[in-house]
Every structure is written in structure tokens, then in C-alpha cells.
Amino acid sequence: MTAIAEVFAKAKNENRAVLIGYLPAGFPDLTSSTELMRAMVESGVDIVEVGLPYSDPLMDGPVIQHAAATALAQGTTTDDVLTAVRAVADCGAPTVVMSYWNPIERYGVARFAQAMSVAGGSGVITPDLTPEEADEWIAASTAHDLDRVFLVAPSSTAARIKTVTDVTSGFVYAASVMGVTGTRSAVSGHAETLVQRVREATGAPIAVGLGVSTAHQAAEIAGYADGVIVGSAFVRAITESATPHEAIEAVSSLAGELAEGVRRRKINEDALI
Amino acid sequence: MTSLIPGQASAGHYGRYGGRFVPEALTFALDELDAAFRASVEDPIFCAELDDLQRNYTGRPNPLTHAARFGAHCGGATILLKREDLNHTGSHKINNVLGQALLTKRMGKSRVIAETGAGQHGVAAATAAALLDLECTVYMGEEDTQRQALNVARMRLLGADVVPVTAGSRTLKDAINEAMRDWVASVDNTHYLLGTVTGPAPFPEIVRYFHSIIGTETKSQIEQRYGRLPDAVVACVGGGSNAMGIFSAFLEDAEVQLRGYEAGGEGVDTGRHAARFAMGVPGVLHGARTYVMQDEWGQTVSSHSISAGLDYPGVGPEHAWLHDNGRAIYESVTDAEAMDAFAKLCRTEGIIPAIETAHGLAGAMRLGNELGPEALIVVNLSGRGDKDVETAARWFAMNPDQHLPTLNEQMATER
């Protein structure tokens, strides 16, 4: 059983959802970003998603675009991202990298998989890699025991969900809306329907992301999904902080609230009994 | 899906290039587009409608002009200009736009979005949207909105919403990112009217198909007038749609050289250029695997060119394939060489070309001198230069060694 599978299994036993927190490596700088990720873990994030900053993040909204641009302006490289993975994995939480495809291809697909494995990483989320183009990645990730997280979207057909989940491992990333990353006041009704449709295709855990920012939304999603992914809200908490200390406080506090949110499903059910 | 392109390795791929690298959310729309495209090109009603627009709206077929005086600067070769500049809206872009706008209607969508660099594709998209009653939003890098202000005004007059993009390098690549972001969120009612032969499959194939009329017309015109095929076909290459359009008819004719000219900017050794084949390496950008200007970590490097339409760090995947298999040859042309050719065409033929097109003309000057006076060379005159008048005036003012000669000076040199 992989580290990610263990976390999902443990959460299932505890009758709660897994909390997955995203931050880009190198934002606001490399050292701070690893401290912030560790703070997330200490406050209840189960799996850390380390963003690899990319020059053309076409699936990201303004908040993450800005963070990635800042990280790149500071000279953040793929090797720095792997350093961040090592630092976070060392504190015990399974760590995945989220990366657009070109930086991985340029690094060398097999070389990247090996470096991830050496750094203690558990898997990689590839938002712009489709299964049809993934042969080399499937081989490399299999060789190095990395989980491969592909995305499904509300527009995915049943046949498409099957194609994607067949090559996915660790968990399935269900995009809650048709759109880019960024906080939204409500989670779209598409998310629950999508999760139900994915369940018909796979027994793998399903995590919902895009637009989730509050404990209330996390609790709602925990009612039907196995994991809740939060990204832009964490980045925004940092952007809006005046000092590094304040940023750590803000990230910790948000992680704590969300961790409570993913456990609220249990509380509700207890209340029913 | 079956491919309409002879010799294509597999649908959507050109050798190792092309493919589809996009968020899963777009897969459905791309499949839908693929199906609509394949059904349409087999549908006599669709074809008749497109044909009617091409003849009676765009003004096709456009002429193949013998540029005798310009040819004198091309080693005396016979230079024939395929006059895409005479199309309605002033460039080849209208060919693709009308086809995709009809596809948009067929798919029951009410809105189109487009990216634009020089503004020619944006103007064409805004035009087709007005004609076919579609809502239109055009994304344009902020830097480009400034250097192509005339085209911004044209798009707005035509009723399009022009959104200046302030992210990244504020040029064409960032406009494409923003258009993709819009599309992911609006795909239910919106078609992304992509303007060049790149992007995820099936876009490179669709855009090439709608521009292939450039090549088929050229071929029949030249066979009628000269009774033979040209020795070379020349085009500028940004994303590469005008080049693919004219090349497509000659791919199987091994005796016809295919020559693409990309933007060498201030010189490929200065780092300020858009010479993807000279300095790029294969990678993935905007949904396709192709040659990309990128650093050692796979981050896209900003391109540079005096011509907004060639200022793009990627290139159509079929060009990458033709480059690798040697069927087409790609060279770069600097800003200065392009502006020299620009001035020469103005003064010898009375035609003001787009600065993008001037890169192809500079290539013809180079190639003509290489092939000699017996050569028959077709240049795709992909667009007219009205939009570039201000850029050209500034260039010639700042580069007195390249100034446009006065009439007296010109007559003196010609005597």
C-alpha cells in the first residue's frame, strides 16, 4: 500500500475525508514555502501538493499565476521543487508534486520520476497530461512507485472517466467546476454528480478540487468525496499577510479550520444517532 | 478519428509532434469539434456555404501577381505573389475564421473567443462574428494592443470585446493562455476560434484545412500561366498558418522546395528573437508538442520580433515535423532584413506588406539570389501592412541607414 493509499484508508476508518493542501514551491521564497507547507501539515493537512511553478499556467487563475510568477522571478527551479518535496516528506506527510507537463519532459521523464522517488515524494498530479500522451510517464512512474494522479472534469463522458481512472493511481482528482483554479463562494453542484459518476468507474479514492476555500465547503464535499483539495485559498492567505510570521499563522489557521471541516461529516452523523 | 492529412503518422500527431496536452475539462469540446469538423467537410451544404463566402465575401480567388521589379532584387528570379493581402480584412486569416465560425454555428454555440498577436486574426474573428451574429471576445497581449492600435480599433468597431492581457510577456503567448482559461469556463456556449496551426488536436489540422485553399489556388494559377510547378514556395512562419496553407498543396511535389522564414528579431545570437527552429528544442506549449523556446527547466522563454504576428515562442507541430524530416527548410530573418524587404516591396511594386509577410519577402530575396534568374518562386503575401505604418515610420526614422530613399535617390541608384 502506498503512503497515499494509507492516508485515505486511515481517514476512511475515522469516517472523515482527507485534506490535501497546495502551495507552490518558491513562493514567497523557497525556504518560506517549505516552512509554510510544514505548518500546513502541523495544523491538519494530510497530503501536501507542492506546485512546480510554470511560465504558462493555463489552468490557473490570477492568485496562483501571481505566486508562480513570483517563484520563477526568484529563480525557482525543478531541483528546488524537489528540495521542497524532501523537506515536506521528511515531516511525515505524503507529498505529491503538481506540474504542467513541459517542465517534467524537459527535466527528463525517467530522471524526474527517479528524483521524486529519491526525494521521498509519493506521486505527481499532471493537469495537462492526457492518458493518450502518457505512455512514457506511466512507465517511469510505475518503475519508481509513484502514484499518478490524472484529472476528471464535469464534462468528462463515462467512457472518458474510464480511460482516465484506468491509468490513475493514489486518488482521482475531480475538478468541481469547468474553470481554472481560484476560490469560489459556492462549490458547484456538478461536483457531487461527478463524484458519483467516477465511483461507477473505479474503487480508487476521489478528491474534489477547484474553488474550495472554507471549512463549510470542505464539510459539504466530505459528505460525498474521499478528499478535499485546497490551493488558491492557502496562497491568498500568504499574499494577504504582511509578514512571514503572519503568513504562517494564516496558513495554520486555515488548515485547522479545513481539517475541522473534513471531520464535520462524522460529527453530523453522530448527531443523527 | 481519421486524418485528412496524407502521410500523417496518426490522427492528431505529426511524427512525435502535435497531440493533445490540455486539461481534461477540454477533452469533450475537442472531441465535439473534431466530430463537427469531419462531418462538415463531407457535407455538401457546409462546403457550398463556405465556398460562397470565400467567393462573394472574401473575394477569392485572389490574384497571383508577377512582381517583376521586386524580382530584380531577388537575383532576377521570377517572383509571384499570392495575394492574400487582397482578401477582405487584409490577410489570409479570414480563410480559417469563416470556416471555424460556420463550425461554431453548426455546433450550436453563440460565442467565439480568439487570441491575436498582430491583430489580423482578431480582426478576422470579429468580422466573421459580426457577419454570422456571434458574440466575440478577443484576447491580445497588452504590448501588442499598443503596437497594433489600429487593429484594436477595427475589432472594437466590429463589435468585439478586446481584452488586453497583462500577464507574462504581454504578447501572443499570454493571450493564448488567457483564451484557454476563458474557454475552460465557457465551453458550453463558446468556441475557441484558434488562429493558427498549433494548439491541441484537432486545431492544427482544422486550421490547415481551411487555409489549404491558398495552396490549391496557387497551384492551379501557376500551372495555367507557366505550365509548370514553382521551384520554391516561400512563406513567413509565426504559428505557421499561412505557410501551412500554401505548403499543403505542394507537399507531395518533391521538386518544389518549401521554405519557411521565422523571426530572427535582433539576431539569433542576441537572445532577442523568435527563431524556434534555430534556438528552440522540442517540448510542449499550448496543447501541442513542438519546437519551443524554453530554458533548461522547461520554462517558456519570451520571444522578440518587430512583427507582433511572428512574436511567438512555439510553432505549429506540422512545421516541426516537416523541419525534422527535411521536407521544408526553415531559416530566420532579422528585423533589419525584413524591414529592408518591406521597403523594397513598397517602392518596387506599390504594395505595402505586413511586417510578418516582409520576413517571407526577405527570404525570397535570399533564395532568389541562391537559385538565380531561371527560378520561379511563389511568395505567400499573407497580409497587407496598413496596421504597420506607424511601426515602419518609427523604424525608418530610427535606422537612417535603412531610410526609405527619396524619389531622386531611388532614380539615381536605378540609373
Side-chain angles (χ1 to χ4, degrees):
Chain A
M1 193 181 257
T2 66
I4 289 174
E6 275 176 35
V7 168
F8 276 99
K10 178 167 170 278
K12 194 171 184 181
N13 280 336
E14 293 167 10
N15 197 22
R16 68 173 178 94
V18 164
L19 177 62
I20 301 167
Y22 166 95
L23 279 179
F27 175 75
D29 58 72
L30 187 62
T31 313
S32 304
S33 66
T34 55
E35 282 168 11
L36 288 158
M37 290 179 213
R38 294 171 76 117
M40 286 197 314
V41 175
E42 280 159 24
S43 303
V45 163
D46 299 296
I47 296 174
V48 177
E49 191 184 324
V50 180
L52 192 154
Y54 177 52
S55 54
D56 294 274
L58 53 79
M59 229 194 107
D60 286 304
V63 172
I64 292 178
Q65 280 177 46
H66 168 78
T70 305
L72 289 175
Q74 313 234 15
T76 306
T77 66
T78 307
D79 282 340
D80 293 332
V81 173
L82 292 161
T83 303
V85 168
R86 168 93 273 164
V88 178
D90 280 350
C91 72
T95 307
V96 295
V97 161
M98 151 118 174
S99 179
Y100 290 90
W101 186 244
N102 197 52
I104 295 177
E105 184 159 301
R106 187 68 205 263
Y107 197 85
V109 177
R111 181 179 164 225
F112 182 77
Q114 186 186 17
M116 266 299 283
S117 176
V118 169
S122 297
V124 183
I125 304 172
T126 47
D128 61 347
L129 183 68
T130 49
E132 288 79 0
E133 307 289 347
D135 286 357
E136 198 181 353
W137 172 237
I138 290 168
S141 51
T142 304
H144 294 281
D145 291 325
L146 294 173
D147 278 325
R148 279 185 297 275
V149 181
F150 287 88
L151 278 70
V152 293
S155 62
S156 303
T157 59
R160 201 57 212 165
I161 288 172
K162 176 92 171 67
T163 303
V164 172
T165 54
D166 278 354
V167 294
T168 297
S169 63
F171 63 92
V172 180
Y173 190 130
S176 67
V177 288
M178 296 293 287
V180 297
T181 59
T183 60
R184 291 172 178 81
S185 53
V187 175
S188 117
H190 290 310
E192 184 165 7
T193 319
L194 176 61
V195 169
Q196 285 162 0
R197 293 168 57 224
V198 177
R199 291 246 189 261
E200 288 166 18
T202 178
I206 304 162
V208 170
L210 293 195
V212 190
S213 61
T214 66
H216 177 75
Q217 291 170 324
E220 188 188 329
I221 293 167
Y224 55 81
D226 308 303
V228 178
I229 305 169
V230 180
S232 295
F234 279 118
V235 176
R236 204 172 58 180
I238 298 167
T239 309
E240 288 173 356
S241 297
T243 65
H245 178 73
E246 228 177 81
I248 297 261
E249 295 279 296
V251 162
S252 302
S253 147
L254 178 61
E257 287 166 30
L258 293 165
E260 176 271 322
V262 297
R263 286 166 175 82
R264 207 182 292 163
R265 172 176 62 174
K266 181 177 189 325
I267 295 165
N268 287 348
E269 283 176 7
D270 286 349
L272 287 175
I273 302 163
Chain B
M1 49 188 180
T2 52
S3 168
L4 298 176
I5 296 179
Q8 195 182 27
S10 67
H13 289 85
Y14 307 87
R16 61 192 288 219
Y17 301 107
R20 203 187 259 185
F21 295 82
V22 289
E24 177 58 28
L26 292 178
T27 297
F28 180 79
L30 292 168
D31 284 345
E32 176 191 45
L33 175 63
D34 191 84
F37 168 63
R38 274 164 229 294
S40 298
V41 298
E42 299 292 330
D43 174 3
I45 296 170
F46 180 92
C47 295
E49 201 174 347
L50 181 60
D51 183 68
D52 176 63
L53 286 173
Q54 286 168 339
R55 284 173 192 283
N56 302 314
Y57 188 72
T58 304
R60 302 201 76 95
N62 56 43
L64 189 65
T65 303
H66 179 202
R69 296 191 66 221
F70 180 72
H73 297 278
C74 305
T78 302
I79 302 293
L80 302 171
L81 306 174
K82 181 57 179 163
R83 300 295 303 280
E84 294 297 308
D85 63 317
L86 295 180
N87 292 342
H88 177 47
T89 74
S91 81
H92 69 291
K93 294 292 186 186
I94 192 79
N95 303 324
N96 165 51
V97 153
L98 289 174
Q100 286 200 46
L102 289 178
L103 281 180
T104 305
K105 298 290 265 190
R106 191 183 175 107
M107 291 186 291
K109 295 185 174 184
S110 59
R111 174 174 178 259
V112 290
I113 53 175
E115 83 294 343
T116 198
Q120 295 299 85
H121 174 58
V123 166
T127 300
L131 177 69
L132 296 171
D133 191 21
L134 297 162
E135 197 186 324
C136 179
T137 301
V138 178
Y139 292 96
M140 189 170 187
E142 195 185 39
E143 186 183 325
D144 294 337
T145 61
Q146 288 157 6
R147 56 180 165 173
Q148 310 278 210
L150 177 68
N151 273 345
V152 174
R154 289 170 78 195
M155 289 183 267
R156 290 190 168 140
L157 282 174
L158 291 161
D161 183 16
V162 180
V163 182
V165 176
T166 56
S169 60
R170 304 174 181 216
T171 60
L172 181 54
K173 107 179 156 67
D174 308 286
I176 296 177
N177 291 340
E178 212 51 41
M180 287 276 192
R181 291 182 189 117
D182 180 319
W183 200 33
V184 176
S186 62
V187 68
D188 277 352
N189 72 341
T190 299
H191 174 60
Y192 181 12
L193 214 166
L194 213 153
T196 192
V197 286
T198 190
F203 278 113
E205 186 182 354
I206 291 179
V207 177
R208 166 191 154 152
Y209 178 85
F210 288 131
H211 280 307
S212 63
I213 190 164
I214 307 172
T216 48
E217 271 180 20
T218 301
K219 197 171 191 176
S220 107
Q221 286 168 322
I222 200 167
E223 280 176 339
Q224 220 163 45
R225 290 218 324 250
Y226 294 84
R228 70 171 180 107
L229 290 171
D231 297 298
V233 174
V234 168
C236 64
V237 181
S241 66
N242 92 83
M244 242 15 269
I246 196 161
F247 285 0
S248 59
F250 300 96
L251 286 173
E252 313 287 307
D253 303 310
E255 68 271 35
V256 180
Q257 292 191 32
L258 304 177
R259 297 278 190 148
Y261 293 90
E262 55 182 358
E266 294 171 11
V268 293
D269 49 351
T270 64
R272 289 176 57 76
H273 58 81
R276 295 70 43 99
F277 290 119
M279 305 303 275
V281 293
V284 170
L285 180 65
H286 293 141
R289 180 174 287 120
T290 184
Y291 279 79
V292 179
M293 288 172 56
Q294 51 179 311
D295 68 13
E296 60 176 311
W297 303 105
Q299 306 292 342
T300 312
V301 169
S302 286
S303 52
H304 168 80
S305 168
I306 188 171
S307 127
L310 303 185
D311 195 348
Y312 179 60
V315 62
E318 191 171 5
H319 285 296
W321 187 50
L322 295 174
H323 170 269
D324 282 13
N325 68 26
R327 179 63 191 93
I329 291 171
Y330 299 85
E331 291 178 3
S332 65
V333 160
T334 61
D335 291 350
E337 289 173 285
M339 293 313 290
D340 179 49
F342 175 95
K344 287 207 164 61
L345 194 77
C346 291
R347 291 302 175 97
T348 58
E349 300 293 339
I351 297 170
I352 301 174
I355 295 177
E356 289 76 17
T357 309
H359 287 70
L361 293 165
M365 288 168 64
R366 204 186 281 169
L367 185 64
N369 280 302
E370 194 183 308
L371 300 180
E374 298 305 313
L376 188 55
I377 299 173
V378 178
V379 182
N380 193 7
L381 202 78
S382 52
R384 70 179 189 220
D386 308 40
K387 68 186 178 62
D388 294 317
V389 165
E390 205 184 311
T391 306
R394 206 176 315 122
W395 172 273
F396 292 118
M398 282 167 56
N399 294 273
D401 54 315
Q402 266 206 320
H403 78 294
L404 285 167
T406 62
L407 191 59
N408 282 341
E409 285 169 339
Q410 192 178 326
M411 285 167 69
T413 33
E414 285 183 13
R415 268 195 300 267

